[in-house]
Amino acid sequence: MATYKDIQRLTGLSLSTISKYYNGGSVRQSNGEAIQRAADELGFQINDFARSLRRGTSQTVGVLLPALDNGFHLAIIAGVEKYLQVHGVGVIVVSSHPEERRPGGAVDALRSKRVDGIVAVPSVHDAEALKQADEAGIPVVTVDRTFPGLETDHVQLDNYAAGAMVAHYLLDHRHKRIAIIGGDHSVPSLTERHNGFLDALEQRGVDREESWSSENDLTIEAGRRAVRLLLARGNRPTAMFAANYELTVGALIGLNESGLVVPDDMSFVGFDIAEIAQVTRPPMATVVQPMAEIAEHAARRILARMNSSDAPRDMQTLPADLRTGSSVRHLGQPASTAT
């Protein structure tokens, strides 16, 4: 069976560098690539059981999600697992849907499995249990959202800037009557998108019209219902922004049922629908999160925290991308001209 010394023989690197690489430490990219090439050539594999016995650890990380039914959450699982498996760390996935578990029950389930750390997209009913886990010495990294009192390493999208970016884009296309289907304001990331959007409108001299701001559950049906209600109002908006995946899908269903044509009758920007946007006609404008980067940052951070509890708290904020598609009409141009 190949050992660190065999990798040292092929790479010429020190045993400490090789050990650091396999324990999640920071090494030069060229050194990491050389170690991985040598490991592949030798068929080297980490002996997880032996390492766990030496460390008194389980060599597993819990991934806690509100649900397992959307692309963002599944991308977090895939990205975290991809990064950690290289370092011999397994993943246990649990969901914390409040209708299925008592508050904190999902965190307790992970702690009962003796996980060495937790990567969480937390819901409000997880916050206290995650705080207790962190205080008990179990490293926690939160993703996408966090809550007051939950002071952990954190990775998120720049949600405020994402909301503002959409508002400026629609304003640049001369829209002033703009609706946001903003989601549940108890979710911090949705609140930030909503605030960024409305602040940008205000900065550009557009009044915040409450009739065009729709607060909803984060479901497809809620997005569909919001469109129906917005279109039923007098002086309806000329453009809509749906601020997460489920709301976007529901809003598109609602627009399709209304008989309105996008973008001639209604301009539209969605969120996290990069694949759907490619098959709609016209292709939809959408905000895209760097999901793979978010997951890798979270995995890298939990591994570093597992190996050094004294490391300072770290917060990573990543930028969003707006893919413009053809679903937004410039009001200074004839119908059927969109960008």
Side-chain angles (χ1 to χ4, degrees), residues 10-325:
L10 287 183
T11 63
L13 298 172
S14 68
L15 289 175
S16 63
T17 297
I18 297 166
S19 176
K20 185 185 292 185
Y21 173 77
Y22 280 109
N23 285 286
S26 177
V27 302
R28 292 180 181 175
Q29 182 177 347
S30 59
N31 288 345
E33 292 172 351
I35 291 168
Q36 192 57 54
R37 283 196 301 271
D40 291 342
E41 181 179 336
L42 294 165
F44 173 80
Q45 292 184 335
I46 291 288
N47 187 328
D48 294 331
F49 181 71
R51 183 162 72 173
S52 297
L53 287 177
R54 290 195 303 272
R55 291 182 169 185
T57 62
S58 66
Q59 286 299 287
T60 58
V61 163
V63 177
L64 171 66
L65 302 165
L68 304 178
D69 59 358
N70 74 42
F72 178 73
H73 295 154
L74 296 178
I76 295 301
I77 297 170
V80 169
E81 182 178 42
K82 179 181 179 181
Y83 184 85
L84 292 181
Q85 69 178 356
V86 174
H87 300 282
V89 177
V91 168
I92 299 174
V93 178
V94 299
S95 65
S96 63
H97 197 287
E99 295 179 3
E100 300 172 4
R101 293 183 184 270
R102 62 176 175 78
V107 178
D108 292 343
L110 289 174
R111 293 184 67 173
S112 73
K113 300 292 186 183
R114 303 185 66 81
V115 295
D116 298 324
I118 299 173
V119 174
V121 180
S123 298
V124 65
H125 54 273
D126 302 317
E128 182 59 31
L130 286 170
K131 179 182 177 182
Q132 291 173 6
D134 181 65
E135 291 173 345
I138 301 171
V140 175
V141 175
T142 53
V143 176
D144 183 53
R145 58 183 81 157
T146 188
F147 297 93
L150 185 56
E151 298 179 359
T152 65
D153 296 77
H154 183 63
V155 185
Q156 67 175 31
L157 184 75
D158 191 337
N159 289 291
Y160 185 92
M165 177 170 56
V166 174
H168 285 300
Y169 178 67
L170 293 172
L171 290 166
D172 289 344
H173 284 70
R174 298 192 182 179
H175 292 272
K176 292 185 178 179
R177 302 199 313 272
I178 306 171
I180 177 170
I181 303 173
D184 184 350
H185 289 185
S186 70
V187 178
S189 56
L190 270 295
T191 299
E192 290 172 14
R193 289 171 206 168
H194 187 266
N195 290 343
F197 185 88
L198 293 183
D199 285 351
L201 294 185
E202 191 170 59
Q203 291 164 12
R204 298 276 293 269
V206 176
D207 291 336
R208 296 175 180 231
E209 297 203 24
E210 290 301 324
S211 61
W212 294 336
S213 179
S214 178
E215 183 175 346
N216 315 85
D217 298 330
L218 300 182
T219 64
I220 290 174
E221 179 55 33
R224 178 188 179 195
R225 184 173 60 251
V227 166
R228 188 166 60 246
L229 293 173
L230 287 164
L231 294 181
R233 298 177 185 272
N235 196 28
R236 74 185 184 205
T238 62
M240 294 181 180
F241 167 47
N244 92 325
Y245 173 83
E246 288 87 356
L247 295 174
T248 296
V249 173
L252 289 174
I253 293 171
L255 285 172
N256 184 59
E257 291 174 341
S258 75
L260 295 180
V261 176
V262 177
D264 290 356
D265 302 321
M266 180 66 65
S267 292
F268 185 82
V269 179
F271 202 97
D272 268 350
I273 57 161
E275 294 181 350
I276 293 175
Q278 295 178 50
V279 298
T280 57
R281 291 293 177 269
M284 291 291 148
T286 182
V287 176
V288 178
Q289 299 193 68
M291 296 183 188
E293 292 179 53
I294 290 172
E296 182 174 330
H297 274 294
R300 188 186 301 276
R301 197 61 203 163
I302 197 67
L303 196 60
R305 179 67 63 186
M306 286 160 55
N307 287 290
S308 177
S309 60
D310 296 330
R313 299 289 190 194
D314 179 75
M315 178 173 178
Q316 291 283 342
T317 300
L318 302 179
D321 179 35
L322 177 59
R323 298 183 186 173
T324 55

